[in-house]
Amino acid sequence: MSIVPPEVVAFVAEASRLPERTLDAIRQAAAAAMASGAYDPSAVPGLSAAEFSALNRQVRDAFAPRGEELSAGRPGGLRSAIARTTQTAQAIWKRDRLTADQYASLTGTFTAHGVPRTTR
């Protein structure tokens, strides 16, 4: 049994099914938000080594079947999809450590593209 919470597993599964075009739009939105200061990657809550390892495996396994597809698109497409999904999953997992504004900022690039905001 995985230590990854069910709401995080559900988010990762949904994120990994998004079309390449949507993942690229999320990548661009995150970059623009970071450039404007609206997205602060330092606000992403940390996980223990065991938690991060389990999450990393969950995300990589979810995207593995799409590796060639996402790597063939824009350079860094697969890497970006994994990174954006992992950071957002961390926010969902450790939501209790975030203010409402931080949570909205860290999950907003996905919710803007139809991935529902997960609640506990």
Side-chain angles (χ1 to χ4, degrees), residues 6-24 26 58-67 69-70 78 81-82 85 110 113-116 118:
E7 63 271 15
V8 175
V9 172
F11 166 75
V12 169
E14 189 156 350
S16 70
R17 290 190 298 266
L18 291 171
E20 179 184 3
R21 176 182 235 155
T22 302
L23 290 168
D24 190 48
I26 288 168
Q58 185 83 37
V59 173
R60 289 182 182 281
D61 286 352
F63 279 100
R66 299 188 60 200
E69 169 201 354
L70 296 175
L78 176 61
I82 289 170
T85 300
F110 280 90
H113 290 90
V115 180
T118 304

Side-chain angles (χ1 to χ4, degrees), residues 14-109:
E14 189 156 350
S16 70
R17 290 190 298 266
L18 291 171
E20 179 184 3
R21 176 182 235 155
T22 302
L23 290 168
D24 190 48
I26 288 168
R27 175 187 189 180
Q28 292 174 10
M34 278 190 257
S36 73
Y39 182 97
D40 180 7
S42 70
V44 175
L47 302 176
S48 72
E51 291 169 338
F52 187 81
S53 179
L55 176 60
N56 188 47
R57 173 183 273 235
Q58 185 83 37
V59 173
R60 289 182 182 281
D61 286 352
F63 279 100
R66 299 188 60 200
E68 282 188 41
E69 169 201 354
L70 296 175
S71 294
R74 284 187 167 217
L78 176 61
R79 184 177 64 243
S80 176
I82 289 170
R84 297 282 71 77
T85 300
T86 300
Q87 288 181 339
T88 303
Q90 286 175 249
I92 293 167
W93 191 334
K94 300 297 180 176
R95 178 184 185 152
D96 57 330
R97 294 185 189 169
L98 301 169
T99 67
D101 287 343
Q102 287 172 319
Y103 185 74
S105 170
L106 295 172
T107 59
T109 55

